[in-house]
Amino acid sequence: MRASQQDFENAMNQVKLLKQDPGNQVKLKLYALYKQATDGPCNMPKPGVFDLVNKAKWEAWNSLGSLPKETARQNYVDLVSSLSPSAEASSQGKHEADEKAQKSKDIVVTSEDGITKIVLNRPTKKNALTFEMYQDIILALKNASTDNSAITVFTGTGDYYCSGNDLTNFTSAAGGMEEAASKGAVVLREFVNSFIDFPKPLVAVVNGPAVGIAVTLLGLFDAVYASDKATFHTPFSHLGQSPEACSSYTFPKIMGSAKATEMLLFGKKLTAREAWAQGLVSEVFPDSTFEKEVWTRLKGYAKLPPNSMRISKELIRNNEKEKLHAVNAEECTTLKAKWLSEECINAIMNFVSRKAKL
Ligand SMILES: CCCCCCCCCC/C=C\CC(=O)SCCNC(=O)CCNC(=O)[C@H](O)C(C)(C)COP(=O)(O)OP(=O)(O)OC[C@H]1O[C@@H](n2cnc3c(N)ncnc32)[C@H](O)[C@@H]1OP(=O)(O)O
């Protein structure tokens, strides 16, 4: 049976009542079917390349070609009914279950031999950091700061240490880019603060390549051990972004402004030995013996008197905490604006549509 005009109007009202955002792809499909059902085939000029939102809408509508209005109306009603409360409830349940599973599997935290180990465990995506992973790490650091361990260690599963921020965090966020950027800036600030304020020795065991925020954060670690297979890459300009995790302050301080510029502005990728020569890495190990040597050493360090290590860290780091918090706040404000820039949106779209690899 064909959907009536009344069915169509009911479906339009139902869309407004959806409790869960159906995602951008579904919203584009709904828009296209609505326009086709009411105006017929796409009759608008194609928006310019930088008008990303209207261009996506135009493309969705135009892709329907000469689909008859009645068929578009029927397809619209069918699509909305697949998002109806019962369907929504079951997909919401699934979403919540997925989220819980993700929370427990993408970051694995264990505590043994005086060491709390925080493992980035998303190897199929090169351990790219999702929105949930940022939050899980904040929580893991909070717990580690008061648990019985003497030191806390970050490492990654698989061939990468971490490929940085998951570039789909923004494209998959509910709400518009503005909302995602505001939320992103808040989460990023809290995330970096939890590293600035972490009271115990914090060690990175860099098992493979590190990109973006996984590299910049290293300036806030107390020791960095790297496999000779690791590389260090901060392609912020390529992504239309700017440095974060206090690296605009820590990197020039660690390696001097000329070398920091090559990394942070020009995206020069360093080998593990180059990163060691610049003072970003404490020591480089052959990949074949990396795990064995590093963990043996860390187990030894974890036996040292914990309060003494904590107080020494305080002496080394406390003088500049205030400065670091101020730098973090400024970097987050700058990044929030950059995330909404054409340069950044285009770079992310290129990655998502597989046109560019860094
Ligand atoms: C509301 C939102 C709030 C979010 C909170 C915001 C906080 C933001 C903080 C900081 C902002 C930016 C700092 C950065 O980290 S910038 C750096 C970002 N990273 C990158 O640009 C790296 C992109 N990835 C690559 O260039 C390549 O994937 C690679 C790492 C060089 C590896 O290449 P490869 O050929 O060996 O492997 P590949 O097939 O590409 O990867 C395997 C799968 O993994 C996916 N993947 C890898 N890295 C990322 C990533 N960063 N984001 C998303 N997905 C990633 C890749 O797409 C492959 O997936 P699939 O198998 O095709 O499905």
Side-chain angles (χ1 to χ4, degrees):
M1 200 175 68
R2 289 229 169 245
S4 65
Q5 180 60 26
Q6 188 58 54
D7 294 334
F8 184 53
E9 281 166 22
N10 288 347
M12 282 191 280
N13 288 332
Q14 248 177 296
V15 168
K16 292 183 199 137
L17 297 175
L18 287 175
K19 288 199 194 84
Q20 197 188 326
D21 187 308
N24 287 343
Q25 287 313 317
V26 173
K27 284 195 280 195
L28 278 176
K29 187 88 193 159
L30 285 169
Y31 167 80
L33 289 170
Y34 170 81
K35 292 296 281 180
Q36 191 85 9
T38 51
D39 294 358
C42 182
N43 53 8
M44 307 275 289
K46 187 174 182 178
V49 280
F50 295 125
D51 191 357
L52 288 173
V53 174
N54 285 321
K55 189 163 148 279
K57 285 170 141 183
W58 183 91
E59 277 163 357
W61 182 12
N62 192 50
S63 73
L64 297 180
S66 56
L67 188 77
K69 280 186 172 183
E70 301 72 38
T71 313
R73 191 162 71 184
Q74 179 69 55
N75 291 356
Y76 182 96
V77 170
D78 290 346
L79 178 55
V80 174
S81 85
S82 75
L83 306 168
S84 68
S86 54
E88 200 187 354
S90 71
S91 91
Q92 166 115 21
K94 182 177 176 310
H95 179 74
E96 275 166 13
D98 286 346
E99 207 166 70
K100 264 190 199 141
Q102 182 168 322
K103 280 193 173 185
S104 58
K105 82 177 178 351
D106 290 343
I107 299 290
V108 175
V109 184
T110 52
S111 213
E112 209 182 339
D113 298 323
I115 302 173
T116 290
K117 199 166 150 186
I118 301 178
V119 182
L120 310 175
N121 187 41
R122 204 177 165 229
T124 55
K125 299 285 180 186
K126 310 290 182 194
N127 298 327
L129 298 169
T130 61
F131 184 57
E132 287 77 17
M133 287 166 81
Y134 286 107
Q135 293 176 313
D136 285 352
I137 291 171
I138 293 171
L139 187 64
L141 283 176
K142 189 165 177 245
N143 293 338
S145 69
T146 53
D147 70 11
N148 290 330
S149 64
I151 61 181
T152 298
V153 179
F154 272 79
T155 193
T157 303
D159 57 346
Y160 262 66
Y161 173 65
C162 173
S163 63
N165 185 43
D166 188 309
L167 292 172
T168 66
N169 276 341
F170 292 102
T171 53
S172 59
M177 272 302 278
E178 287 262 358
E179 197 181 318
S182 299
K183 198 169 159 193
V186 171
V187 173
L188 177 62
R189 187 164 171 193
E190 191 188 351
F191 177 74
V192 174
N193 278 345
S194 63
F195 284 82
I196 297 173
D197 292 329
F198 192 70
K200 299 177 183 177
L202 192 57
V203 180
V205 171
V206 185
N207 53 296
V211 186
I213 191 165
V215 176
T216 53
L217 275 175
L218 297 176
L220 298 172
F221 277 69
D222 302 299
V224 178
Y225 298 125
S227 150
D228 59 8
K229 281 202 171 151
T231 54
F232 299 82
H233 187 200
T234 50
F236 300 130
S237 300
H238 299 68
L239 292 168
Q241 300 192 27
S242 52
E244 80 286 279
C246 298
S247 58
S248 61
Y249 173 70
T250 56
F251 276 32
K253 197 168 165 238
I254 292 169
M255 59 188 79
S257 64
K259 293 294 179 189
T261 296
E262 285 195 304
M263 284 196 83
L264 298 177
L265 271 64
F266 304 148
K268 183 179 178 194
K269 190 193 283 190
L270 302 192
T271 63
R273 297 213 183 280
E274 286 166 341
W276 169 79
Q278 302 310 338
L280 186 63
V281 165
S282 317
E283 195 168 334
V284 180
F285 297 80
D287 192 62
S288 54
T289 54
F290 177 60
E291 295 285 330
K292 191 164 178 283
E293 285 195 62
V294 167
W295 289 109
T296 305
R297 183 179 302 190
L298 289 174
K299 281 179 195 168
Y301 291 164
K303 292 196 178 86
L304 294 169
N307 288 333
S308 179
M309 287 197 284
R310 186 192 273 261
I311 286 164
S312 298
K313 171 165 178 167
E314 222 172 272
L315 285 170
I316 297 170
R317 297 266 170 187
N318 269 13
N319 288 335
E320 44 180 23
K321 259 198 187 168
E322 210 178 307
K323 172 75 182 169
L324 291 170
H325 281 298
V327 172
N328 183 27
E330 194 187 349
E331 286 178 346
C332 291
T333 307
T334 306
L335 257 178
K336 183 176 153 186
K338 288 304 297 168
W339 286 331
L340 296 173
S341 71
E342 271 173 27
E343 287 180 341
C344 178
I345 293 172
N346 286 342
I348 290 176
M349 290 302 181
N350 276 344
F351 177 79
V352 171
S353 63
R354 297 264 150 227
K355 280 189 223 137
K357 223 164 230 184
L358 298 162

